Amino acid sequence: MNKIVEVLPDKGALIERSLDLVLAKMQEAIEQRGRCTIALAGGGTPKPLYEAIATQDLPWDKIHVFWGDERYVPPDHPDSNEGMARRAWLDKVNIPPSNIHPMPTDGASPQDDASKHEAQLQEFFGTAVGEFPPFDIILLGIGDDAHTASLFPHTEALHVKDHLVTVGNKDGQPRITFTASLINQAHCVIFLVAGASKQPALAQIFAADADPITYPARLIQPQGELLWLLDSDAGQIMSG
Ligand code: 6PG
């Protein structure tokens, strides 16, 4: 794993840089593997990136979109990560509907839906139980509490190592989330972090030694590339 940290002058530059990176990684995946599998982050930071991707002329039939986590709400709920990405990007391009692989949130329980999505991933990638398929690109953010995806501090999801997908928990609210084990198999993980409020979390995430159960983004140590794109507000901690 080689970690690269880039501090961009502002949020706009962060989005531009992340667009360039994502497009390059998409092209590389398609050239090398015939398709690109990308898992999206939720929250607010990546929305302008998704809007920018929607302006690109890409081989949409070769691009498969997943989510790294999802709030346990219907896709038309304002909190839905799927809904946000569809409005910002997917509804605006000619991507085959079958290339969009949302996390189910309409089953009998969050655990049922986590298991269902795990089976959907295994079928898509042709992997067996216990195998962890390598996504080409996984986009992530971090919360002020150093969570990532829906891997929140001191929750059970952090300890699930033998599954691809599990149930996250934010203050008692269920989430569906990739496990750290699945994220760490990715060819390329890109964190997008903006805003001064993320400084304390970043300081702990980048510290030589801190508890990953308290600062879950520390669990993300992928086999492949790890890129941290910070705007200057978030990245001030890098200037010492
Ligand atoms: C979610 C995200 C979550 C997000 C961080 C940062 O479902 O909320 O996946 O992990 O990336 O909370 O969110 P902001 O980009 O809004 O700061």
Side-chain angles (χ1 to χ4, degrees):
M1 182 269 306
N2 53 347
K3 177 172 98 181
I4 297 173
V5 182
E6 293 184 23
V7 181
L8 287 306
D10 54 36
K11 176 83 182 289
L14 167 66
I15 297 303
E16 271 180 47
R17 175 67 178 130
S18 57
L19 176 64
D20 289 347
L21 255 180
V22 167
L23 295 178
K25 295 301 173 188
M26 281 180 168
Q27 184 179 348
E28 185 181 303
I30 291 166
E31 283 168 2
Q32 291 180 7
R33 293 179 282 276
R35 71 181 184 195
C36 173
T37 54
I38 179 170
L40 305 184
T45 303
K47 185 165 177 273
L49 167 60
Y50 302 156
E51 290 166 340
I53 296 174
T55 67
Q56 302 297 307
D57 179 16
L58 297 175
W60 297 114
D61 61 319
K62 295 184 172 59
I63 295 171
H64 287 264
V65 178
F66 302 78
W67 280 262
D69 74 316
E70 185 57 273
R71 291 82 182 275
Y72 203 65
V73 293
D76 60 356
H77 189 284
D79 289 349
S80 168
N81 290 335
E82 173 190 349
M84 183 271 274
R86 284 188 185 275
R87 288 189 299 275
W89 165 13
L90 301 173
D91 292 348
K92 301 174 181 174
V93 298
N94 260 337
I95 186 167
S98 57
N99 283 31
I100 301 171
H101 310 268
M103 290 182 156
T105 58
D106 56 357
S109 72
Q111 183 54 62
D112 279 1
D113 279 325
S115 304
K116 180 178 173 186
H117 194 52
E118 176 160 304
Q120 289 169 338
L121 295 180
Q122 281 163 338
E123 184 184 359
F124 175 84
F125 285 100
T127 47
V129 173
E131 274 187 271
F132 290 83
F135 277 82
D136 293 306
I137 306 165
I138 297 183
L139 302 178
L140 294 173
I142 61 165
D144 294 355
D145 61 358
H147 81 261
T148 191
S150 282
L151 301 169
F152 288 90
H154 300 287
T155 56
E156 285 176 34
L158 305 184
H159 304 284
V160 176
K161 304 212 182 312
D162 53 352
H163 282 282
L164 282 61
V165 185
T166 193
V167 178
N169 180 319
K170 177 181 185 178
D171 306 331
Q173 295 304 312
R175 301 281 194 91
I176 310 293
T177 186
F178 280 9
T179 60
S181 301
L182 177 57
I183 295 170
N184 284 333
Q185 290 305 312
H187 290 291
C188 180
V189 173
I190 304 174
F191 278 94
L192 307 180
V193 185
S197 71
K198 304 290 171 74
Q199 284 183 26
L202 282 170
Q204 295 298 333
I205 294 163
F206 291 158
D209 186 17
D211 175 18
I213 303 305
T214 307
Y215 306 104
R218 291 180 67 91
L219 295 171
I220 308 309
Q221 309 284 342
Q223 309 268 344
E225 293 179 271
L226 174 58
L227 293 133
W228 286 84
L229 302 182
L230 318 177
D231 76 352
S232 56
D233 287 340
Q236 272 176 21
I237 60 130
M238 302 303 292
S239 47

